[in-house]
Amino acid sequence: MKQLSVITISYNSQDTIRETMLSVLNQRYRPLQYILIDGHSTDKTNEIIRELLPAFASAGIETVYLSEPDRGISDAFNKGISYATGDVIGIINSGDSYEPDVLEEVMAQNWEETDFLCGDILWKDSANGIEYVRKSSLNWSRLKLEMTVMHPSCFVRKSVYDECGVFDISFNYTMDYDVICRFHRMGKKLVYAPITVADVAAGGVSDVNIDRIKEEIFRVNRDNGVSLISSRAHWSVVRSRHFLASLLKKCKLFFK
């Protein structure tokens, strides 16, 4: 059996960290390593983490726990990867949660011929009573222009990080998009599996900062061989889609 390492990063996540940790604790797959990287939270996040750690030991799950200041999300991800001893690495952030026993399903895939695997997520907008499945896509004609992969559904062979590099700390929002495209450009075998891997709540960093991520997306587009003119044109399409989605959501709520 291949060992799986799962990383959770957190910062002032007292309202969400418990649910995320329990979704990992309740997985049946073994051998499993769980790595918690906290950015030196000032609320009760670390108190909750310490409270739950003995349950992981009782369940036969190896844990690594670190709480200290970091240089942002990418730095926290990289710290987690540096502690990972598993053959395969997954990342589930505080606020997201794995579907029941989904790690068994993920690790049952053909990892001898897979470097990177992604699935789908269940997107939940609890405030507006909306949820639906968001599917990943590895179609390069789309991926080279925009992030079409649901990051909480992703799993990567540790050897791929060793060969292709980890997350670029100069990215504040699109570090996952950058690293996935890098894997593709370096010839790694990217595989999609029709599995709903995780529940993800609306309101994450990329949702809140949709306009701020534009320049970072243009950087990744450039590395993918896309011209700035094409990047700007596609960005206009993406922003229009977001506007229409927001408008439809408001209409749905109005006509309830």
Side-chain angles (χ1 to χ4, degrees):
M1 298 282 283
K2 292 186 180 295
Q3 184 185 28
L4 172 63
S5 294
V6 170
I7 299 166
T8 292
I9 68 169
S10 61
Y11 180 70
N12 287 348
S13 304
Q14 64 181 19
D15 295 332
T16 58
I17 189 66
R18 184 182 299 275
E19 181 179 2
T20 301
M21 290 183 68
L22 290 176
S23 80
V24 177
L25 177 63
N26 292 329
Q27 299 292 318
R28 291 186 295 179
Y29 186 82
R30 301 290 186 277
L32 178 61
Q33 178 193 38
Y34 190 35
I35 303 166
L36 293 130
I37 305 295
D38 180 74
H40 198 55
S41 292
T42 56
D43 63 359
K44 294 183 178 180
T45 300
N46 287 296
E47 179 181 325
I48 295 168
I49 291 174
R50 287 191 290 267
E51 173 195 332
L52 290 175
L53 283 178
F56 284 84
S58 298
I61 300 173
E62 175 194 346
T63 57
V64 175
Y65 164 50
L66 177 69
S67 182
E68 64 181 19
D70 55 48
R71 291 178 289 174
I73 295 172
S74 294
D75 187 35
F77 284 159
N78 293 342
K79 286 181 183 181
I81 293 169
S82 72
Y83 283 101
T85 58
D87 304 286
V88 177
I89 300 174
I91 298 176
I92 187 81
N93 294 333
S94 184
D96 303 335
S97 57
Y98 282 132
E99 289 286 306
D101 294 325
V102 74
L103 297 185
E104 283 195 331
E105 207 171 345
V106 166
M107 295 306 290
Q109 304 301 308
N110 184 7
W111 281 99
E112 300 306 318
E113 298 182 10
T114 301
D115 293 314
F116 168 96
L117 182 139
C118 64
D120 306 324
I121 63 169
L122 181 62
W123 183 260
K124 293 185 174 182
D125 184 348
S126 299
N128 296 308
I130 298 171
E131 66 178 50
Y132 60 95
V133 173
R134 277 190 177 181
K135 295 184 176 293
S136 292
S137 170
L138 291 172
N139 183 321
W140 182 242
S141 64
R142 288 189 58 204
L143 183 58
K144 68 180 180 180
L145 287 164
E146 63 177 301
M147 179 60 156
T148 58
V149 176
M150 304 299 111
H151 189 240
S153 76
C154 296
F155 297 84
V156 184
R157 292 177 67 100
K158 189 175 189 298
S159 59
V160 174
Y161 284 121
D162 293 338
E163 183 178 341
C164 300
V166 292
F167 293 89
D168 186 337
I169 63 171
S170 70
F171 285 92
N172 294 313
Y173 305 109
T174 64
M175 67 291 294
D176 48 355
Y177 181 36
D178 169 66
V179 80
I180 292 166
C181 287
R182 193 190 319 147
F183 294 160
H184 181 276
R185 294 195 304 271
M186 294 184 71
K188 296 305 171 186
K189 180 67 174 178
L190 278 57
V191 174
Y192 166 76
I195 303 169
T196 301
V197 175
D199 295 355
V200 176
V205 171
S206 294
D207 292 322
V208 174
N209 299 285
I210 185 66
D211 288 312
R212 299 183 190 179
I213 69 174
K214 177 175 65 174
E215 295 305 321
E216 292 191 3
I217 289 177
F218 288 177
R219 282 177 58 191
V220 181
N221 290 168
R222 180 196 62 204
D223 291 341
N224 293 337
V226 179
S227 70
L228 182 58
I229 292 174
S230 296
S231 292
R232 286 175 172 166
H234 189 74
W235 179 256
S236 297
V237 174
V238 171
R239 293 300 291 122
S240 296
R241 288 206 308 256
H242 276 276
F243 173 77
L244 289 173
S246 176
L247 185 62
L248 287 170
K249 181 169 68 175
K250 289 177 181 178
C251 290
K252 179 178 178 181
L253 293 172
F254 180 80
F255 288 108
K256 269 190 172 182

